[in-house]
Every structure is written in C-alpha cells, then in structure tokens.
Amino acid sequence: MSANTLTITDNRTGKQYEIAIENGTIKAIDLRQIKTDADDFGLMTYDPAFTNTASCKSRITLIDGDKGILRYRGYPIEQLAEGSNYLEVAYLILHGELPTAAQLKDWSFNITHHTFIHENIKKCIDGYHYDAHPMGMFIGTVGALSTFYPEAKQIFDAEARRKQIHRLIAKVATIAAFAYRHRMGLPYSYPDNDLSFTGNFLNMMFKKTELKYQPNPVLERALEVLFILHADHEQNCSTNAMRSIGSSEADPYSALAGAAAALYGPLHGGANEAVLKMLNEIGTIDKVPDYIKRVKAGEFRLMGFGHRVYKNYDPRARIIKQVADEVFAVTGRDKLLDVALELERIALEDDYFVNRKLYPNVDFYSGIIYQAMGFPVDIFPVLFAIPRTSGWISQWQEMLLDDEQKIARPRQIYLGSEVRDYVPIERRG
Ligand code: CMC
C-alpha cells in the first residue's frame, strides 16, 4: 500500500477503499466509488461556502493564513509594495515572471493606450440616475463592454485574449472615474497618457480647470501601493465567481461584471465602505467600548475585522498602516483614524476577538486613507475592483488553459418533497 493514500472503511458495508492523496488533497470524485449497493449514487462531500475544498490548482497567489503570508508568483507582498508599481505587478500576476525593462515599457504602453472608452460607453454611464451607486454603474458598464468587443468571445484565441486583457486592465480605471464624475455632475476628464496608471486615474477623478493635472507624488505612490495590495487574493468570493462564470466560456467582460458584483457585497469588497460608515457612526473614542459590546452581543459585525483564511494579522493591513502615515502627512490626520486605532486596540485585547482569531483585514484602514485622499465613500468598492481586475483576468486565463477544468457545476443534497401529483387550482384548499 502506498504511503500517499487514505484508507477509508465504510461502516455501512464493511468495505475498505484506498484513495490517493496528492498535494495534501483527495479527489472528491474518488469517493463516488463508495456505495452501499449498485443503485447507490456514491459518496459525495458536503462543503457549503467551500471552507475545505480546493476548486483548482493555481500558480498565481499564495496565502498562508496561519503565518500571515501573502505572495504573488512567489514574491512577498511586502517586497512588491516596497519596490514595484501596480502595472508591473499586474504583468507579474498575469505572466508569472517580472518583466524586463523592454517588456515593461511595451506592457505599460499597451495598457496606457487602451484607457480611452468608446463615446457610446460614456452614453451608457450618462443613462444612470444622478445618485446611482458607482459600483452599480461600474458593474453594468463593464458588462456592456462585451457588446462593443464581440471578438472577446474567442476566448481560446491567445491574441484575442491578449487584447481583451489590455482593454480590461486599462478601461476599468476610466469607467470607475467616469462613474464618479457622473455621480458628482462633473464633466468627464479624459485619460492623460503622459501620466502613470495611478497618476492618470487621479487625473480622471479630480482634474478641474487646470490645463495639465499634476498628481501629488505621495498620493500617487500611495495609490500604487494600495493597488498592489488589492491585485489578487487567490480563490476569494469574486475570483471564484470569475472562474465559475468563465468556465461556461462566457466572454471576459461578462465574467468580470459578475466577479465585480460578487465583490460589491459588504462581506467582501464592500467592507471598506462599511468600515467608514461604522467609524462615522461610532464618531468618537469614548463610544468604542459600547460598540464592541454590541458586536459581542451579536447585534452586528465589526467591519474590516476577520478573514476566512488569515487567522493571524492580514499582512496587507500592516502595509496599509504605514501608507496611512505617509498620506496623512500630506492631507492632515483624519479624526476617524483615532477611532480605528482604539477599536483595534480594544479588539486585540478582547477574548471574543482573540479566541476567534479576528484581526484587522485590508479593508479596515484602506477606507480612511481613501477618504483622506478625497475619494467619496461609495466609490471605495470600485477602488478595490480596479486593481483586482488584473487578478480576476489572470485567474480566468489560468482556468481556461487548465485541462482539468470544466464548466463549474456543484452537486446538491436534495431535501425537498418526494414526487407528487399536480393539483389544479380549483381543487387546492
Ligand atoms: N465581527 C464580529 N464577529 C465576527 C466577525 C466580525 N467582523 N467575523 C467573524 N466573526 C465571528 C463570527 O460571528 C463567528 O463567531 P461564532 O463562532 O461565535 O459564531 C466566528 O467569528 C467565525 O466567523 P465566520 O462567519 O464563520 O467566518 P467566515 O470565515 O465565514 O467569515 C468574513 C469571514 C470576512 C466574511 C467575516 O470575518 C466578516 O464578516 N468580516 C467582516 C466583513 C469584512 O471585513 N470583510 C472583508 C474581508 S477582507 C477583504 C476581502 O478580501 O474581501
């Protein structure tokens, strides 16, 4: 008997089975042979919310939740945040290796020259109500892109895929900024190809009457770091949505709109918006103990705390705290930071949070920084979606090129009625 196997005894039948172990997993389909009789469908696993199921093999991002480690393609997030920029990280995530100087120049040129959107896309945004949530506009408009690029359906054509990848990484920033300007009733500010990716994003967001927008270099760099931290995070809810929709061979714009919709929820990318609302509601440090009491009583969750995978400090939160200091040196200190620091201090000493291994996650401090930089609260989830686009699209491509993947189609445990006859309406009690 091989050492890399699992022996299972089915106590219903007394039969023994030997199941192969590979990469610390067993294949769920190998359990199907375990039956009580020939008519039995076979054993399945039950795993709502995928808490212990690997849905793919991936070479992109590693998270070690117990050690608080995050790496893209093997590179520690701390080193990338220190030395890289968002476009270089997007290249790395997608291609697997850091670019050479020539490759980076070419890649940056390609992304920069796809930042313009068709004027009719602009009309789609114009059609939204004046107070539409920017994330709703973002999701709808990204989905609409698929109607502008019908060749995007050729998902197995590497060249067609390459084009959509450039377009998506570039255009999500323009769509995000245009959604914001529509919300504010401001004229759209067109992309400026002389600027960096983040500098241009700030230009599209905040340019007023000046002829040439000059981003503040500290804020431009801070945004680079925030975008690096948000670029990928392995099989989270929205990435799972991207892979799942993509597995039906839908075009990448439609799949990405679905992924962005998954990100919108307050338990995922909508948490940064929820954190700011929470901090505003608490208002002052003296209200923190009472708020924590209500969290412990189960009234609501402490937003920006806890993570499915990290059971140690979220390494992204640690980097973000440093960025906060640099940003506040330019913008002035936000009073909500004191509330956040006090919440963190009390929570980290409290048994409720310690026992459940609940630590601040990436969203706990990102919102305060975004607010200090002048971003309105409801665009925060969109700010998450812009860099995560490179992660979604890399995971989508990896899934498409993986021979072991097929259309995603989970099983269920049916607990509904047995077969029964239809009753005409006049005979129903
Ligand atoms: N505040 C208070 N209690 C919490 C929290 C929280 N933020 N998160 C988890 N718990 C408790 C939960 O009530 C449960 O307690 P008990 O065992 O007594 O029932 C225990 O901790 C385990 O929680 P869970 O819901 O089983 O954990 P999960 O892995 O399903 O949820 C989570 C992970 C991130 C959805 C959750 O921690 C949460 O809702 N956090 C707040 C929202 C948030 O900040 N989301 C951003 C995540 S990071 C950005 C991203 O990548 O999306």
Side-chain angles (χ1 to χ4, degrees), residues 73 97 99 115 132 185 242 273 301 303 344 350 380 387 390 416:
R73 300 285 189 180
E97 296 297 335
T115 46
M242 182 84 197
E273 187 181 354
R301 290 191 164 199
M303 299 314 285
E344 180 181 350
D350 191 299
F380 292 177
S390 57

Side-chain angles (χ1 to χ4, degrees), residues 229-356:
L229 299 184
H230 285 89
D232 194 50
H233 214 227
E234 54 118 303
Q235 307 312 313
N236 54 81
C237 176
S238 56
T239 300
N240 183 56
M242 182 84 197
R243 280 180 174 260
S244 185
I245 300 169
S247 77
S248 77
E249 302 187 1
D251 69 84
Y253 300 101
S254 304
L256 205 127
L263 186 74
Y264 195 179
L267 298 189
H268 191 9
N272 51 16
E273 187 181 354
V275 169
L276 242 281
K277 287 185 179 145
M278 174 186 80
L279 294 176
N280 274 310
E281 192 188 322
I282 298 171
T284 48
I285 290 181
D286 55 307
K287 306 262 171 41
V288 168
D290 184 54
Y291 198 85
I292 295 265
K293 216 183 275 172
R294 293 173 67 194
V295 169
K296 285 162 63 179
E299 272 188 58
F300 36 69
R301 290 191 164 199
L302 189 55
M303 299 314 285
F305 257 71
H307 199 272
R308 170 65 59 79
V309 183
Y310 291 121
K311 298 301 169 196
N312 190 317
Y313 211 85
D314 178 341
R316 301 170 300 173
R318 190 171 282 131
I319 298 168
I320 279 192
K321 263 178 112 170
Q322 290 163 12
V323 175
D325 292 336
E326 290 156 23
V327 169
F328 293 146
V330 174
T331 62
R333 193 181 158 92
D334 192 318
K335 73 175 174 51
L336 291 181
L337 181 66
D338 296 325
V339 179
L341 288 169
E342 182 65 0
L343 262 181
E344 180 181 350
R345 190 188 66 76
I346 297 189
L348 293 184
E349 286 174 355
D350 191 299
D351 280 352
Y352 176 95
F353 296 91
V354 173
N355 294 342
R356 290 172 178 76

Side-chain angles (χ1 to χ4, degrees), residues 25 84 141 158 209 315 389:
T25 60
S84 188
T141 311
T209 54
T389 293

Side-chain angles (χ1 to χ4, degrees), residues 192-208:
D192 179 344
N193 290 350
D194 295 338
L195 298 174
S196 70
F197 186 83
T198 53
N200 175 47
F201 180 59
L202 291 168
N203 155 69
M204 292 191 291
M205 287 287 296
F206 299 126
K207 183 169 187 280
K208 294 276 165 46

Side-chain angles (χ1 to χ4, degrees), residues 102-300:
Q103 285 167 332
L104 183 61
K105 194 167 163 226
D106 195 41
W107 168 252
S108 304
F109 179 88
N110 275 323
I111 302 297
T112 307
H113 287 78
H114 281 94
T115 46
F116 272 75
I117 53 174
H118 194 290
E119 287 294 289
N120 285 349
I121 289 274
K122 209 178 73 180
K123 287 187 199 154
C124 291
I125 298 176
D126 282 338
Y128 286 108
H129 207 45
Y130 72 94
D131 62 352
H133 194 289
M135 193 63 169
M137 290 191 255
F138 180 85
I139 293 166
T141 311
V142 168
L145 283 180
S146 79
T147 65
F148 287 77
Y149 305 111
E151 77 274 18
K153 290 191 191 316
Q154 293 159 27
I155 53 169
F156 293 111
D157 175 335
E159 183 49 30
R161 254 196 339 263
R162 200 178 64 89
K163 247 195 202 146
Q164 314 322 318
I165 289 170
H166 290 160
R167 285 179 176 143
L168 265 165
I169 292 177
K171 291 184 201 309
V172 286
T174 313
I175 291 171
F178 279 25
Y180 161 74
R181 303 220 27 143
H182 174 70
R183 178 96 157 81
M184 302 302 285
L186 290 167
Y188 299 121
S189 166
Y190 281 78
D192 179 344
N193 290 350
D194 295 338
L195 298 174
S196 70
F197 186 83
T198 53
N200 175 47
F201 180 59
L202 291 168
N203 155 69
M204 292 191 291
M205 287 287 296
F206 299 126
K207 183 169 187 280
K208 294 276 165 46
T209 54
E210 62 272 48
L211 283 180
K212 178 101 181 150
Y213 180 85
Q214 299 290 355
N216 178 301
V218 175
L219 303 188
E220 185 183 6
R221 178 64 203 158
L223 204 53
E224 292 284 355
V225 176
L226 285 158
F227 279 9
I228 290 170
L229 299 184
H230 285 89
D232 194 50
H233 214 227
E234 54 118 303
Q235 307 312 313
N236 54 81
C237 176
S238 56
T239 300
N240 183 56
M242 182 84 197
R243 280 180 174 260
S244 185
I245 300 169
S247 77
S248 77
E249 302 187 1
D251 69 84
Y253 300 101
S254 304
L256 205 127
L263 186 74
Y264 195 179
L267 298 189
H268 191 9
N272 51 16
E273 187 181 354
V275 169
L276 242 281
K277 287 185 179 145
M278 174 186 80
L279 294 176
N280 274 310
E281 192 188 322
I282 298 171
T284 48
I285 290 181
D286 55 307
K287 306 262 171 41
V288 168
D290 184 54
Y291 198 85
I292 295 265
K293 216 183 275 172
R294 293 173 67 194
V295 169
K296 285 162 63 179
E299 272 188 58
F300 36 69

Side-chain angles (χ1 to χ4, degrees), residues 50-78:
F50 307 123
T51 53
N52 197 37
T53 293
S55 64
C56 63
K57 293 175 181 166
S58 183
R59 293 180 166 76
I60 302 175
T61 294
L62 174 92
I63 302 176
D64 184 327
D66 292 328
K67 297 195 182 115
I69 285 174
L70 169 62
R71 293 181 200 141
Y72 298 155
R73 300 285 189 180
Y75 293 101
I77 191 68
E78 294 79 6

